[in-house]
Amino acid sequence: PSDSLADPLTQVIEKGEMSILVDYDVDLPAYYGQAVTVTARVVANGSNNPRPNGTLAFSLNGIAQGDPVELDALAQADSPALTDLGVGSHALRLVYSGDDYYQAYTLDLPAAITVARALTLVQITDIWPETVVVGEPVAVDFTVAVDTPEGGSPTGTVTVSNGTDQCTGALGGKEKKMLLGAEANGYCELTLTATDRGPLTATYSGDEQYAPSTSNEAAGPVVEKAELTLTIDPDSLPPDSVVVGQPFSVTVHLAPVDPGTLVPVGAIVTISNGGDSCQATVQAD
């Protein structure tokens, strides 16, 4: 008979290693205003290993997100909903506590969650008045909706244009919950300089959190020709008589009739006494 008590063999059993697999409940990049939940699973390296137990702690940009979460029957844990995510990249840290079989482990993901500017929908909602004369201002109302369920309050400006004439107005910050999210409203005054202007489009400038967008075409107002008054300045005429063939100057004034506001700069005016005539180009003043 014999035994090994005199010279035993000691076997050292160390804790096993594992990996952490990460998934998200939204497609990345997320959009500004969206909440993101992280699902992490602790996976033992190798085969035929016991299921990991213990907890997972989540940190975002160095700030702990709630208390550590117990792993479930699939060795998974969900983070709290991560909200108020700014546009850009966010660092994620996951800390596994370890258990009787596995070592503690820390996973750092410097740019785990990326956030893009939220999509927007700009629309022209009203035009008033619907019929104007050339030079008469038109009030164009617009709205910018946020195309996410969370909504939001965009800032910035909207430019309304027909390709030639344009106006720009700031968003007023008014909010109301709609199907697409919140809306921010505003308006600008557009002065049309001809009768043959085309449809209108609105372009939102975007800001740090909300992406630019351009509306579909909207019909502009009916634009009619404006009236002008045309008068001869008597003070421009020579005070004394002239002889045949002697030239003299005549000043003519043009003024728009309300609601028109424009003078046709560059147009030609003919001045005549029925027999003799001259022509002049309309100046801005």
Side-chain angles (χ1 to χ4, degrees), residues 1 7 10 50 72 80 82 86 130 147 155 178 229 246 269 276:
D7 188 19
T10 302
D72 62 15
L82 306 178
E130 296 181 352
D147 194 13
T155 61
M178 304 291 287
T229 59
Q246 179 184 351
V269 175
D276 308 308

Side-chain angles (χ1 to χ4, degrees), residues 136-226:
E136 179 181 0
V138 179
V140 183
D141 292 337
F142 48 76
T143 186
V144 177
V146 182
D147 194 13
T148 65
E150 289 75 14
S153 183
T155 61
T157 61
V158 172
T159 298
V160 177
S161 174
N162 57 16
T164 302
D165 310 311
Q166 68 178 37
C167 65
T168 299
L171 293 176
K174 180 180 178 183
E175 288 188 21
K176 55 182 178 180
K177 203 69 177 176
M178 304 291 287
L179 179 62
L180 292 175
E183 290 187 345
N185 303 308
Y187 79 98
C188 65
E189 290 190 351
L190 177 66
T191 300
L192 300 172
T193 57
T195 59
D196 57 351
R197 297 299 187 232
L200 303 177
T201 58
T203 301
Y204 169 52
S205 64
D207 62 16
E208 292 183 357
Q209 288 82 32
Y210 299 95
S213 60
T214 299
S215 72
N216 294 327
E217 291 184 345
V222 176
V223 185
E224 300 175 345
K225 291 185 176 182

Side-chain angles (χ1 to χ4, degrees), residues 54-147:
T55 62
L56 267 175
F58 298 85
S59 296
L60 183 71
N61 299 324
I63 300 174
Q65 303 296 304
D67 296 328
V69 182
E70 291 282 345
L71 297 182
D72 62 15
L74 298 176
Q76 292 185 165
D78 291 336
S79 74
L82 306 178
T83 59
D84 298 327
L85 297 173
V87 174
S89 298
H90 299 270
L92 184 66
R93 167 174 281 192
L94 299 95
V95 179
Y96 171 55
S97 65
D99 62 10
D100 291 340
Y101 299 99
Y102 301 102
Q103 302 173 11
Y105 179 72
T106 298
L107 175 64
D108 282 312
L109 302 172
I113 301 174
T114 53
V115 179
R117 290 191 290 180
L119 301 179
T120 59
L121 295 171
V122 58
Q123 292 180 319
I124 294 174
T125 56
D126 196 18
I127 298 173
W128 188 87
E130 296 181 352
T131 301
V132 295
V133 299
V134 173
E136 179 181 0
V138 179
V140 183
D141 292 337
F142 48 76
T143 186
V144 177
V146 182
D147 194 13

Side-chain angles (χ1 to χ4, degrees), residues 225-249:
K225 291 185 176 182
E227 295 183 357
L228 293 168
T229 59
L230 182 62
T231 57
I232 295 176
D233 182 359
D235 293 336
S236 69
L237 299 177
D240 301 320
S241 61
V242 296
V243 298
V244 172
Q246 179 184 351
F248 61 91
S249 298

